[in-house]
Amino acid sequence: MSNKVTNDTGNDLCDGTPGQRGPADHERREQILCVADDLFKAHGFRKTSVTDIAREIGVSSAYLYRFFNSKQAIGEAVCARALLSMDNAIRAVAARDQPATQRLRDMLRTLLEEALRLFLRERRMHDIIVVSIENQWAVTEEHNRVVYETIEKIVADGRDSGEFERKTPLDEVCTAIRVTAAAYAHPVLLSRLGDPEEMEAKLTAVTNLILRSLAP
């Protein structure tokens, strides 16, 4: 068994001590992430140091490096946990036993709702997501893949059911929808779309246009 801990995408986040990790190590790792999450929300990712996290827990910085090899590794793990809730929410919509047209509409709305929760209501999470996008962290690349594959599933189902046209290459359709929806899942772009009510109205208009373009 490897002594490296990985995040939800399978990327190595830390180098552990020799031997297998037990429950105590897992609990300590979760404690580190919970404390880091709180500090990132309170002060922002950029202004929080590994020393700050260690001090809050009551251990040395060197001890934290047994679990995570850098501040970025801690940030990626915190970011992954936050984005996982969004990923799970849109996957659940895609798996519903409903017409593809309704699922696509609901998926885009869920993407907006989750983005509002993470990026605007929890303002400090906005900070760490921006950092992850700017630095192309693997966790945001994985999130983008999940969003694309969710769109792909719904569109493919819609083609199979006859709800959507089949002439345009599938990858072209999915890429266009993903790019169009990007504004509703990017913290900086989202903040420029007005208040939540205005965002809802704009999303409805965009979704209607997408669905008209997909009609057979």
Side-chain angles (χ1 to χ4, degrees):
M1 181 177 184
S2 171
N3 61 11
K4 290 185 176 182
V5 178
T6 61
N7 67 5
D8 294 317
T9 65
N11 296 313
D12 292 333
L13 292 181
C14 64
D15 292 319
T17 53
Q20 296 184 349
R21 289 195 176 281
D25 287 317
H26 176 73
E27 290 175 8
R28 177 63 88 178
R29 183 176 185 276
E30 288 301 306
Q31 180 189 25
I32 293 168
L33 293 181
C34 288
V35 170
D37 191 10
D38 289 342
L39 290 176
F40 293 158
K41 287 176 181 176
H43 308 294
F45 176 78
R46 294 179 177 89
K47 294 182 180 180
T48 301
S49 67
V50 172
T51 301
D52 294 330
I53 299 169
R55 184 185 301 116
E56 187 70 17
I57 297 172
V59 299
S60 68
S61 298
Y63 181 79
L64 258 61
Y65 286 121
R66 293 174 53 194
F67 296 86
F68 297 91
N69 60 23
S70 66
K71 174 184 164 182
Q72 178 180 323
I74 298 174
E76 285 210 54
V78 170
C79 194
R81 296 199 326 176
L83 291 177
L84 182 61
S85 65
M86 181 183 290
D87 293 345
N88 287 341
I90 62 173
R91 281 170 169 155
V93 172
R96 291 176 185 169
D97 184 17
Q98 292 178 322
T101 299
Q102 186 61 49
R103 281 185 286 154
L104 185 57
R105 187 180 294 279
D106 289 347
M107 190 278 289
L108 293 173
R109 185 172 301 280
T110 298
L111 200 61
L112 172 60
E113 291 171 352
E114 286 293 305
L116 285 172
R117 179 180 65 82
L118 286 175
F119 306 149
L120 297 187
R121 297 184 187 123
E122 298 179 15
R123 291 294 302 176
R124 294 301 181 178
M125 188 55 67
H126 172 299
D127 173 70
I128 194 171
I129 298 293
V130 170
V131 171
S132 71
I133 293 172
E134 289 176 348
N135 293 280
Q136 297 183 315
W137 287 358
V139 62
T140 51
E141 295 301 310
E142 171 66 11
H143 170 65
N144 288 334
R145 183 188 65 79
V146 170
V147 175
Y148 180 90
E149 290 183 353
T150 303
I151 293 170
E152 185 178 48
K153 170 177 171 46
I154 296 173
V155 173
D157 288 349
R159 289 184 168 203
D160 290 342
S161 67
E163 294 174 70
F164 300 152
E165 60 90 11
R166 301 175 60 93
K167 294 180 181 178
T168 310
L170 180 60
D171 62 340
E172 184 177 317
V173 171
C174 295
T175 297
I177 296 174
R178 177 69 188 97
V179 171
T180 302
Y184 296 94
H186 189 293
V188 176
L189 295 177
L190 187 67
S191 65
R192 296 173 181 171
L193 292 176
D195 59 41
E197 186 175 339
E198 188 177 357
M199 291 179 198
E200 287 274 356
K202 290 178 178 178
L203 177 63
T204 297
V206 169
T207 303
N208 288 341
L209 181 60
I210 291 172
L211 291 174
R212 284 196 295 272
S213 73
L214 292 177

